[in-house]
């Protein structure tokens, strides 16, 4: 598969990855601790099911993962395509690689059925994701955690429509899944 047609023709191709384990993550970021900067939240995260990557000179340099998650918003039971594991090699940031890999992943997400994309991020990344078409969800989001417990998501929550005219429903948000 190749990157979105709206991207410059020189954009690197986005490929589907058959797996994204610690090995692939290390290929992108090296062996540092906490590459997403979210360890402080103390949450258990859900693995993503579909993986999109960019390789440069054979090395994996960017990734975005997707996993469909059930959730309730007010009285509405629905599903969202959760986006996570967005990461670019440290030396190659600021060159549009996140846009390229996110655009391809979102293009695929639009074929999956749910009306919404959902992600969680650190506050300093809000402007970056807004630039990519996401908007902040100001409602508190409750997420599942192991052993039948729940937690209030301490990161910022963002959503994007996956279908024309999709509007986020009103009401408290309960993710019926580990967060992604
Ligand atoms: C977050 C991360 C993936 C961004 O990757 P990147 O390749 O540097 O991002 P891009 O260069 O594609 O930037 C995406 C867009 O956001 C814009 N942008 C970047 N920083 C911005 C900021 N502070 N304010 C507004 N827009 C910003 C870029 O200009 C670009 O928009 P454009 O294509 O219209 O110019 C990368 O910094 C990273 O891997 N960080 C560590 C892991 C992490 O925190 N992941 C996020 C988990 S939620």
């Amino acid at each position: 598969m190749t990157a979105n047609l709206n991207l410059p023709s020189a954009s690197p191709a986005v490929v589907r990855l058959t797996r994204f384990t610690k090995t692939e993550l290390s290929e992108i970021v090296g062996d540092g601790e906490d590459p997403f900067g979210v360890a402080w939240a103390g949450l258990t995260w859900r693995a993503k099911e579909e993986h999109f990557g960019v390789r440069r000179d054979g090395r994996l340099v960017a990734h975005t993962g997707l996993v469909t998650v059930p959730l309730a918003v007010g009285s509405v039971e629905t599903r969202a395509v959760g986006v996570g594991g967005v990461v670019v090699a440290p030396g190659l940031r600021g060159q549009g690689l996140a846009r390229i890999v996110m655009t391809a992943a979102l293009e695929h997400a639009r074929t999956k059925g749910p009306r919404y994309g959902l992600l969680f991020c650190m506050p300093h990344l809000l402007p970056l994701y807004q630039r990519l078409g996401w908007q902040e969800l100001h409602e508190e989001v409750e997420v599942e955690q192991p052993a039948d417990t729940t937690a209030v998501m301490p990161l910022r929550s963002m959503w994007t429509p996956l279908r024309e005219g999709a509007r986020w429903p009103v009401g408290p948000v309960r993710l019926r899944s580990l967060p992604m």
Side-chain angles (χ1 to χ4, degrees), residues 35 86-88 93-99 120 125 127-129 131:
V86 182
V87 67
V88 169
R93 291 178 187 166
Q95 300 179 20
L97 285 171
R99 174 182 280 282
F120 303 111
L125 293 175
L128 183 150
Y129 286 118
R131 185 101 183 126

Side-chain angles (χ1 to χ4, degrees), residues 99-179:
R99 174 182 280 282
I100 288 167
V101 75
M102 283 284 281
T103 300
L106 264 285
E107 192 179 338
H108 177 71
R110 285 191 196 91
T111 68
K112 294 182 66 66
R115 302 168 69 77
Y116 319 105
L118 179 68
L119 66 75
F120 303 111
C121 69
M122 294 287 287
H124 71 274
L125 293 175
L126 286 170
L128 183 150
Y129 286 118
Q130 276 161 354
R131 185 101 183 126
L132 298 181
W134 293 72
Q135 49 199 294
E136 188 171 3
L137 246 183
H138 294 282
E139 291 285 351
E140 198 169 88
V141 178
E142 186 183 278
V143 300
E144 290 186 351
Q145 287 293 278
D148 283 334
T149 60
T150 60
V152 172
M153 172 52 66
L155 276 64
R156 301 297 182 88
S157 307
M158 301 187 83
W159 78 280
T160 194
L162 297 180
R163 292 209 226 145
E164 187 126 356
R167 300 246 172 92
W168 190 266
V170 176
V173 184
R174 291 184 308 277
L175 192 65
R176 302 198 186 286
S177 158
L178 293 175

Side-chain angles (χ1 to χ4, degrees), residues 4-20:
N4 184 288
L5 293 176
N6 294 330
L7 295 166
S9 53
S11 296
V14 177
V15 293
R16 289 288 288 270
L17 307 175
T18 50
R19 53 185 228 150
F20 189 76

